[in-house]
Amino acid sequence: MGKDECKTMLDALNKVTACYRHLVIALGSTSDSQNLREELKKTRTKAQELAVANRTKLTSLLKDKGISKDDRAEYERLWVLFTSSVELLEVDMKRSLEIGQDFPLKVPRRHLIQTGMTGSTTTVAARAMSVQNMKYEADANIDTVDLKELETEIAQVDQMMEEMELKVQVAPWTVEAKQEAGAELKSTVSVGNSSVGIISICEEEPKETVEGETGLMKVFAGVIFTAVLLIAGILGYLVINL
Amino acid sequence: MTIRNVRDHGQRFRPRMACLKKVESVVLEMQDPKTGVKSQTQRLVITTIPHALTGEDIVAWIANRFKIDAAEARAMGTMMVAFGYIYPLQDHKRLMLKPDTSLYRFQTPYFWPAQQWPVEDTDYAIYLAKRNIRKKGMLELYEQEQYNNLYKWMNHKWDFIVMQAKEQYRAGKERKKPDRVVFDCQERAYWVVHRPPPGTVSAMDYGHDRMVDPNIEEKKTPDYYRRIIMFTQQCIMRPRVKSSVSIGALVKYTTTYKEHDPFLHACLPSNPWLTDDVTYWTLNMPNVETPTKMRVERWTFSFGELLMDPRGRDDFRLFLKKEFSGENLAFWEACEDLKWGAAETMKEKAQQIYKTFLARGAPRWINIDGKTMDITVKGLAHPHRYVLDAAQTHIYMLMKKDSYGRYLKSPVFKETQKKAIAPEQHRFTETQLEQNAKRRRPSLSPIILRQQEEEQKAKLAASGPVDITQVMSKLERKQTK
């Protein structure tokens, strides 16, 4: 059905926008590199393609006069989702242009900000492009060359948004959200417990070392307890049998 | 979708943010591996993260770079932390630079405060949703309140916010562990700066947005020069006072008022803006029964202070009633009413005042000299707002030179002084301060206050001014008896 297609496409756009934001945050810091600039470019292109595809699909659905009221409400909700996504993307693109201009990579006197992030963002970009490994094939001065293209792309996105506003008359404040407050907690219950231990380090600093240590202690205690139980069980069995 | 008819493009400029570009260049200088700030590694339980700085290193670097002393360098460092260019790794809610071994780190350029990128509530909602996921629903109290608020008024975007939060959370997990920790700290630091927890002073408070960019140079058009010419001409025409005289006046003013200024001196019982406790305001209401000692002391500074304070004016009125010279104050109040009142009732008011106070044989006749009386009567032929100005000034000077001195020595004033209260200084603990902040309520509506004022005035009018003619006739009758 049209709705399911729309939803999958919107999910994809959402994913790429989120990854793009992560990449832009790394701009200008010590995890910046030529690779990052290339990743940004690729993610951006993909996001724009998805945006255009989404737009054509949704406009054609909304222009159809013969749909029911419920359907129309649903499409309007999807439209609001789409426009918010594209707005976020546009802001991130503008900011990446600015930061990219402020932090050219080849100039020796211009240092990158020592933010503590030193790893690469390959995995994030791979997630955005839905590939296993990223291939880097751009030339060495992508940071300056790319900026001009970025300007034209921003202008294109701006224009697209203006057209959308004019053509599609959807009042965003009439849309009601389907999710209630705290909905994000539900589907992420199975979120890895391994990450919790690490991230809790950032949380309560006075308890910083204690958190990690009590975690280890608990694991140790568990292991010892099971070992003792096993030994007691075996001894009991031997005593009974012998 | 936000309403995009107001195309922002950073056109709404924030006034005091012009310094941000300068701070950015300083931060860039700090990055130099040779001449910048020394960086260390932060050791956590399992991971080590590079690029941590100690507070003392930052202070030393700033002091060296700008050739200033340590205290000023510390203040400048605190400013950088308050703006969000550097964030503390321990005690992340207190945005100040401690010149010891506490650790700090630089913020990534995306999270720098920038003139043209206002902080969006959508981003804050996404951040709170992500935090909700991470802390499994256990947000801090103020964060929970903000979350509920945003859910209510950004409801149409909420699906997007939830989706985006989940996706950003999953994308974040793709990075290596140390980077993940750093990212969380960065984001949290950004939002501590831009959505400060209650009780913190934020460096981002800036007042109204301006429509003009304060950083651009103004073009030199003929209009601009015309403005400059007018300004300089007015400067030349300004009356000049010897600095010894003006400084003497300033010194006198500050020595008299320095204990009465809440900025410079402790406010008794406590400053409501600091402790959220409104006892100070309730004790100093305009129509309170017993004034505070500080208020009574202010009445002795000048006659103007006494008259401007409603409670002081009441006291003075009482004194004059005992002395049977209340008509002066009544006349002065009536003139004020005429000056500040509505234009429609002006003519009637002026006539009423003439009949009551100025005419020959009037019930409350005031004693003004012949010349002023002439001017006033002539002016009353064509009454306007300031027609009684001369008479009012005369009466004011009369009261100031004569009655005021006697008032300060009178038993009425001494009684009030004795009964005046001097409240104790409040000593609140941290928890009590938080409770006070939660218990804040709006004060009485101005409509109700106005009604109370009107009632007061009506009561005063009803209690009847002392009618001189009646008093004189009573005295005559007594004499003849």
Side-chain angles (χ1 to χ4, degrees), chain B residues 67-68 110 135 174 207 250 270 285 294 329 344 379 461 471:
Chain B
K67 308 280 184 283
I68 49 180
Y110 186 86
K135 302 203 84 174
E174 296 286 339
L250 275 173
S270 64
M285 292 272 275
M294 299 295 278
L329 185 60
E344 340 165 87
V471 170

Side-chain angles (χ1 to χ4, degrees), chain B residues 248-264:
Chain B
L250 275 173
V251 169
K252 184 160 169 237
Y253 182 85
T254 39
T255 39
T256 336
Y257 281 93
K258 70 174 178 224
E259 261 133 50
H260 295 262
D261 191 331
F263 277 116
L264 302 175

Side-chain angles (χ1 to χ4, degrees), chain B residues 33-147:
Chain B
K34 290 191 219 86
T35 56
V37 189
K38 280 191 290 195
S39 76
Q40 307 167 1
T41 44
Q42 180 197 17
R43 269 171 238 292
L44 297 175
V45 180
I46 307 171
T47 48
T48 54
I49 307 175
H51 305 149
L53 322 156
T54 51
E56 47 195 16
D57 281 340
I58 299 176
V59 171
W61 186 90
I62 297 176
N64 191 20
R65 163 74 178 78
F66 292 107
K67 308 280 184 283
I68 49 180
D69 63 335
E72 205 179 328
R74 183 181 173 178
M76 188 163 160
T78 307
M79 178 196 71
M80 293 174 81
V81 176
F83 275 141
Y85 287 97
I86 302 175
Y87 60 94
L89 296 174
Q90 300 128 346
D91 198 7
H92 65 275
K93 282 195 193 160
R94 295 187 58 203
L95 298 173
M96 46 187 270
L97 191 72
K98 293 186 224 172
D100 50 15
T101 52
S102 41
L103 295 173
Y104 295 84
R105 193 171 276 138
F106 290 112
Q107 180 68 282
T108 184
Y110 186 86
F111 285 142
W112 283 354
Q115 173 71 280
Q116 65 273 45
W117 296 111
V119 177
E120 296 281 352
D121 278 316
T122 323
D123 292 334
Y124 189 47
I126 296 174
Y127 166 70
L128 283 178
K130 273 198 282 187
R131 204 165 156 76
N132 210 10
I133 299 174
R134 188 144 36 81
K135 302 203 84 174
K136 301 199 191 318
M138 303 295 297
L139 289 175
E140 292 193 37
L141 189 61
Y142 76 95
E143 284 177 341
Q144 189 65 49
E145 285 177 12
Q146 298 264 30
Y147 183 86

Side-chain angles (χ1 to χ4, degrees), chain A residues 14 77 98 184 202-203 205, chain B residues 117 134 147 159 164 185:
Chain A
N14 209 21
R77 190 183 76 91
E98 223 187 291
E184 59 269 5
C202 198
E203 291 308 325
E205 282 104 1
Chain B
W117 296 111
R134 188 144 36 81
Y147 183 86
D159 290 338
Q164 187 63 214
C185 289

